[in-house]
Amino acid sequence: MLPIIFINLDSDQERRQRMEGEFARLGLDGRRFEATRWTALPADEQARFYSPELNARQFHKPLVNGEKGCYASHLRCWQMLLDSDAPALVVLEDDIRLKDEFAQVITAIEALPAGWDMIKLIGRSDLGKREKLRAQAPLCPGFSLVDYRRIPSLTAGYVVSRSGAAKLLAQRLPFGRPVDVDLRYWWENRLQVRGIMPAAIRLDESSEQSSIGQKAGEGSLAIKWHKFCLKAAYSWHSWRQH
């Protein structure tokens, strides 16, 4: 089976134990990947990862340290894949539960032909929201592989291929948006993103208490206007690319 990792801060021992219990329950070899604590990075590393100038153009407010550390963690996961000889990597955050069919889904993804960069393991429909799809096809019993019209912003679980990791590292370093938002802008690096329905994972109750920390508020009318303009531009570009 493809290698499986879960991103976890040293301080989140309870989440680590729960994730290890999930892998033990299904008889899977899931490995812990130490999350990046942003404040522990030296200034030159912070500058290599995050660009305030990009952030000012691409997002409506500065990122907090937890958001920066989260993105840096995912970037390091993608680099780890390229440094290995694995064809793809399963990346999980530590606030999820694995469904009983998880291994079956991952095995089916591993057998897919080339041509995809990322496959999300959870989407909007699993949170009670309407999913916007272009197409779907059978993947394995009870699950479909879907092509999104609008990519969901969840990064709780996904499979990234070597081609996907290479594209992301080439175009997303440094970054200016949160990682879950940045992945939605697939046309900027021609990222081929697919998804699974229903989800192969589910969010744990602990997901309601984010380890990213307090995010900055929406603030002034100028910030709200910038956010509105960015959303409108995203919708136009997304429609145009399809």
Side-chain angles (χ1 to χ4, degrees):
M1 183 174 288
L2 296 175
I4 305 169
I5 60 173
F6 68 95
I7 301 171
N8 172 254
L9 284 165
D10 283 338
S11 57
D12 286 336
Q13 290 297 310
E14 184 176 341
R15 290 187 176 195
R16 176 179 182 174
Q17 292 170 6
R18 187 182 59 253
M19 289 297 296
E20 290 172 343
E22 286 292 287
F23 293 121
R25 179 176 64 85
L26 297 182
L28 298 174
D29 182 20
R31 306 291 181 90
R32 176 180 179 266
F33 184 91
E34 183 180 348
T36 300
R37 187 171 293 281
W38 187 255
T39 54
L41 291 179
D44 59 336
E45 276 291 279
Q46 292 184 359
R48 185 173 74 90
F49 280 121
Y50 176 66
S51 167
E53 293 77 21
L54 268 181
N55 170 259
R57 296 199 304 269
Q58 294 181 337
F59 202 56
H60 60 284
K61 56 186 177 182
L63 303 192
V64 298
N65 288 339
E67 291 172 310
K68 298 172 190 175
C70 179
Y71 205 145
S73 298
H74 284 272
L75 282 160
R76 290 173 50 236
C77 291
W78 303 335
Q79 185 62 60
M80 186 187 78
L81 170 59
L82 294 187
D83 290 341
S84 74
D85 58 2
L89 176 68
V90 183
V91 180
L92 305 171
E93 294 182 347
D94 64 0
D95 56 354
I96 58 102
R97 297 276 187 171
L98 307 178
K99 291 189 177 179
D100 292 344
E101 303 88 353
F102 178 82
Q104 175 188 355
V105 170
I106 300 304
T107 300
I109 290 174
E110 186 176 9
L112 289 172
W116 59 273
D117 295 322
M118 178 176 286
I119 297 178
K120 295 208 167 195
L121 299 174
I122 187 170
R124 296 183 191 89
S125 62
D126 300 282
L127 303 181
K129 300 178 182 179
R130 181 173 173 268
E131 199 71 85
K132 298 179 180 180
L133 305 177
R134 296 181 63 201
Q136 63 184 99
L139 175 68
C140 59
F143 293 85
S144 297
L145 182 69
V146 303
D147 187 3
Y148 297 112
R149 285 191 181 276
R150 292 174 72 91
I151 295 171
S153 59
L154 294 163
T155 53
Y158 59 84
V159 185
V160 60
S161 69
R162 295 186 70 85
S163 63
K167 289 179 182 180
L168 288 162
L169 287 165
Q171 296 290 331
R172 294 298 191 246
L173 193 64
F175 59 83
R177 307 179 184 109
V179 61
D180 55 344
V181 175
D182 223 10
L183 291 175
R184 301 186 70 209
Y185 288 76
W186 59 269
W187 59 84
E188 292 180 348
N189 54 359
R190 312 311 300 176
L191 196 70
Q192 300 299 310
V193 182
R194 305 290 182 263
I196 299 297
M197 286 184 64
I201 62 175
R202 64 179 177 84
L203 297 181
D204 184 77
E205 293 178 356
S206 63
S207 64
E208 298 177 6
Q209 290 84 42
S210 173
S211 60
I212 287 177
Q214 186 66 37
K215 297 183 180 182
E218 295 302 317
S220 66
L221 286 176
I223 291 177
K224 293 178 181 178
W225 175 249
H226 190 196
K227 180 179 181 180
F228 172 81
C229 293
L230 289 170
K231 289 180 68 174
Y234 174 86
S235 295
W236 185 84
H237 281 290
S238 181
W239 172 82
R240 183 171 178 265
Q241 294 297 326
H242 285 306

